[in-house]
Amino acid sequence: DIQMTQSPSTLSAAVGDRVTITCRASQNIGYWLAWYQQKPGKAPKLVIYTASTLDIGVPSRFSGSGSGTEFTLTISSLQPDDFATYYCQQYKTYATFGQGTKVEIK
Amino acid sequence: QVTLKESGPALVKPTQTLTLTCTFSGFSLSTYGMRVSWIRQPPGKALEWLARIDWDNDKFYNTSLKTRLTISKGPSENQVVLRMTNMDPVDTATYYCARIQGGDYVFDFWGQGALVTVSS
């Protein structure tokens, strides 16, 4: 099975900060990576797929990069609505999620 | 407008079988490329993919849970059912159904989730 590891587990940041979350795969997954945003008590929401493609309606301050085994999600200028937990997910073979990164207010 | 909603028991006893229904609208599971999956999330923990059913009735399961899971279409054409046997307290989680369009496992629309507690 493909394992996904995110870092950091928690990230404290202020509005306007540039934020980067890293996701590592235990084997080469090409570009088959998605990112989701989840707020407390809510279902996850798709943010990015194929490593760098923004889903419809996602603000351009979000961006994704990487391939193979290392990927990043960047928020260029953190907004109040962005405080949430972010999960990466590989879909090279079935689906596996990372353990999540909580972005909290500094 | 695509919507999905999970329904089923909030409480099941250990060893019982859980049956959850996903009722969706805004798309047809008969359309080429459409897929529906089940994903769960224990309280305070990460997401875990469980199963997938495709427009052509192909089915796929999490390898570690495969012997306990059954996914199927119906009873209505806008419903998908998940059965999980031999429930245990560690199966306590919020269970989500989600749509996949086109790509293999990119979940573009999710239900609100259904919390299932396993306890005697």
Side-chain angles (χ1 to χ4, degrees), chain B residues 18-101:
Chain B
L18 170 67
T19 300
L20 292 170
T21 300
C22 175
T23 302
F24 56 86
S25 63
F27 68 97
S28 171
L29 193 48
S30 300
T31 300
Y32 178 89
M34 287 296 179
R35 302 168 164 97
V36 171
S37 263
W38 286 92
I39 299 132
R40 70 178 179 179
Q41 184 173 37
K45 295 189 177 181
L47 299 155
E48 180 180 34
W49 172 74
L50 299 176
R52 182 188 110 185
I53 189 164
D54 295 354
W55 77 98
D56 58 359
N57 214 36
D58 271 350
K59 301 166 187 177
F60 303 87
Y61 297 99
N62 182 312
T63 53
S64 63
L65 294 167
K66 184 174 184 176
T67 59
R68 299 175 54 206
L69 295 172
T70 304
I71 191 170
S72 61
K73 294 182 182 180
S76 300
E77 63 178 16
N78 66 332
Q79 291 180 320
V80 169
V81 174
L82 180 76
R83 293 179 68 250
M84 179 180 285
T85 62
N86 195 25
M87 292 293 284
D88 184 272
V90 300
D91 297 312
T92 294
T94 296
Y95 287 76
Y96 296 100
C97 61
R99 188 189 81 159
I100 300 165
Q101 183 183 23

Side-chain angles (χ1 to χ4, degrees), chain A residues 3 14 17 20-21 23 31 37-38 42 48 52 60 62 73 86 91 95-96 99 101:
Chain A
Q3 309 300 318
D17 283 354
T20 298
I21 300 168
C23 178
Y31 294 95
Q37 177 194 68
Q38 186 178 33
K42 301 293 187 182
I48 283 171
S52 62
S60 59
F62 288 88
L73 171 70
Y86 293 84
Y91 52 102
T96 314
Q99 82 277 18
T101 294

Side-chain angles (χ1 to χ4, degrees), chain A residues 36 38 43-44 87 89 91 94, chain B residues 41 45 96 105-107 110-111:
Chain A
Y36 299 84
Q38 186 178 33
Y87 292 93
Q89 174 230 324
Y91 52 102
Y94 294 146
Chain B
Q41 184 173 37
K45 295 189 177 181
Y96 296 100
Y105 289 94
V106 176
F107 309 109
W110 296 62

